Amino acid sequence: MIQAFGLTSNPRQELPPAVDDVSFEAPTGRVTALLGARASGKTTAVRLMLELQQGRGITHFRGRPLHRIPHPSQEVGVLLGEVQGHPSRTVRGQLRMLCAAAGVPVQRADEVLEVVGIVSLREQRLGTLSRGMDRRLGLACALLADPHTLVLDGPADGLSAREGKWLHGILRAHASLGGTVLFTTDDAKEAARTADRVVTLEEGHVIADQCVADFSRTRLRPRVAVRSPHAARLGVLLAKEARATQRSVEVVNEGGNRLSVYGSNCADIGETAFRHSILVHQLADEVGDAGPAVSVPARTRAEAVRAAEPTVPQPAVADASSATDAPLPVLEPSEETAAPSALARAHARSAQEPPQSTGTFVSLPVDADLGGASSSASASASAPAPAPPSDEQGTQASRTPSGPASAPPPASLSPLPPPITTHPAPSPLRPLRYEVRRATGIATGYLTAAAVLVASAIVAVLLARTGRTPQAHLLAAWPQELPLPPAALGAGLLGAFAFGDEFRHPALAADRGTVPRRLGLLCAKLAVAAAIAVSLAFLVVASDAVLLHLVYGEELTKLPADWLSTSASWLALVVGCAWAGVLAAGVFRSTTAGLAAVLAVPILVVPLVQKALEGPSVRTAAGLPSRLRDLALVHWPFGAERVLAAGLRMIAQPVGSALMLSLTALLCAYLLTVLRPRAR
């Protein structure tokens, strides 16, 4: 069950809040529709419920707010807008990646593909999906973790009638299995066909909360369109007969010779006209909108009929002289599901507004529950008689001060609902598996690696032709004129893609538009980026060696004497560039920023380090390996002291020092961005 209490959005400058004190329930095993026109506050209410937008209120999902649920995706499935994902990723790859994020077995991806009926499109790219297929994929993402509750914002928008019918069948099936479904729509007929309960929003307020039968009878407003030259007389007769038979009938004068009769049918109206010899030009069943009654300027006719039809004044209804052309929500008094607070506010706003025109609307409700008040109420085909108020409305009207002596004591205001704080998106439950599927699911990484291999091979051949490059730099295709070799630049670019694609196509947190900054996710990205960088470094050296052997012979492919320390330096350089790209893209939320941070190491940081290390040195690090050997109680196994000394010499070089400084600064900046929201 969903229980929303006091949802109120923050005011927008001088404008009123988009949602004001919205409260409703969506029961378990039922489909609930949140109905309203555009800009009525449906999406804002949903975002407040899901804690995606700051405001006030609280929403319980089976008794717990969303931030108290350990794994929200396993409790609430959400569909907001289009599916967010890389356009070149396949449908199956997107779902498999989200399986790792939700912590469910990968086989679940194939199961939901069968449920939504797009198994044949599992290898289709996301960028090529139609609107209907995108909606199906979004529903599959919402159902991936088998949640109990579904919250869907406009799921049938842009779908054909056939696709909409299929979607509604899926929602009905989920509810029949014991789940809770809440969806938003601006189509009243869709809500009546699909939902078990309809909550109607208007200008950010709940104006009705009804079961679908009551909604279809009162808010969907089936009516009979009547055309007659004696429309006013016919309306009076219809109201009289309705009161005599204790039926609820509403007659609205549309102007001229037109009537709209709610709560009756063509047969009854035709018989009434025949008995009283009234000429009728048209009788037709129609279905109106879910809005308020029609407003027409008919004060002159209203006064004439009111003089012929005596009425008993009702204290709870505003006088006709103060009526304006702003229509009020018309609900039958017997509707116990109507929202009294919203209706009271609507009547209060109408009573406070000054009259601006002579337009009125005609409302002739008659109900057996009203007793004598109903039998003595005014029933006129053109008289301005709004719907009799419910008990809440009567109380609200009686509170209107008519003078200093009758002013009641002010009602005590209820305390404000608790504030809604937007929480960061949850990190993937299986971050390493998620990152592997993210990196291998698109062709960008493969194309980048192929471009690096081709560029390295061409540069190596050209450097070998000149004969001025050392062998170690030759195998790495690193000319002295370039700040970094192609392999290091490619590793940095792939590392920048690790976070850059997340912010560009936020599949992890599509509803929040960002990616969670978690240490577990960072460690997974660093590990995968390091593995990719090491593989790329080995492939570059191997391909360059093979090509140089084919072109110039085996003389240029001999291993150098210090191959161990050289290999460690090479791998550290490539991995460091990859990590710099990951951290910079995570801090600055951009792939371009990640690549710029990699290029800034040799271009900006290295000259600064060189300048700092220039000049005479009083002390040097000579004899460091022997001092390390003496420091240990036992001998270093396998000559590990030489490896450590090589690593220290590499760090002491300008490029190594600059890379270490950059990585340290970026890591501190990333930790600051992670810890700052938690401190707040």
Side-chain angles (χ1 to χ4, degrees), residues 483-484 573 576-577 580 597-610 613 650-666:
L484 286 175
L573 175 66
C577 289
V598 175
L599 293 175
V601 172
I603 297 176
L604 297 178
V605 186
V606 169
L608 295 177
V609 174
Q610 288 178 342
L613 296 179
M650 178 188 65
I651 295 176
Q653 294 177 359
V655 176
S657 301
L659 192 58
M660 288 296 298
L661 288 175
S662 299
L663 287 177
T664 303
L666 290 173

Side-chain angles (χ1 to χ4, degrees), residues 99-113:
C99 282
V104 298
V106 69
Q107 294 80 8
R108 180 64 180 169
D110 297 326
E111 294 177 3
V112 295
L113 284 176

Side-chain angles (χ1 to χ4, degrees), residues 115-204:
V115 170
V116 300
I118 53 175
V119 178
S120 59
L121 302 179
R122 58 180 177 269
E123 300 302 328
Q124 194 85 6
R125 306 290 177 180
L126 297 185
T128 62
L129 294 179
S130 64
R131 175 67 176 177
M133 296 302 104
D134 183 85
R135 293 283 86 186
R136 289 178 182 245
L137 178 59
L139 185 60
C141 296
L143 294 171
L144 195 60
D146 194 16
H148 173 270
T149 304
L150 290 180
V151 179
L152 315 173
D153 184 21
D157 292 348
L159 298 185
S160 63
R162 181 180 179 184
E163 292 172 334
K165 184 177 180 180
W166 169 87
L167 176 64
H168 298 153
I170 291 290
L171 301 183
R172 175 62 58 190
H174 184 82
S176 64
L177 295 176
T180 304
V181 178
L182 173 68
F183 73 97
T184 67
T185 180
D186 55 3
D187 187 355
K189 297 179 182 179
E190 176 189 358
R193 289 193 303 264
T194 308
D196 300 307
R197 193 165 195 84
V198 181
V199 180
T200 307
L201 289 182
E202 183 177 327
E203 297 181 358

Side-chain angles (χ1 to χ4, degrees), residues 166-252:
W166 169 87
L167 176 64
H168 298 153
I170 291 290
L171 301 183
R172 175 62 58 190
H174 184 82
S176 64
L177 295 176
T180 304
V181 178
L182 173 68
F183 73 97
T184 67
T185 180
D186 55 3
D187 187 355
K189 297 179 182 179
E190 176 189 358
R193 289 193 303 264
T194 308
D196 300 307
R197 193 165 195 84
V198 181
V199 180
T200 307
L201 289 182
E202 183 177 327
E203 297 181 358
H205 300 280
V206 177
I207 63 172
D209 186 352
Q210 306 164 283
C211 65
V212 68
D214 295 334
F215 169 79
S216 300
R217 182 166 55 89
T218 61
R219 302 296 301 172
L220 195 58
R221 302 181 65 80
R223 66 191 179 194
V224 178
V226 183
R227 284 182 180 271
S228 172
H230 309 287
R233 182 182 170 212
L234 178 60
V236 173
L237 295 173
L238 291 174
K240 285 183 178 180
E241 292 187 358
R243 283 200 303 271
T245 57
Q246 298 294 321
R247 291 186 297 113
S248 178
V249 174
E250 179 184 353
V251 180
V252 178

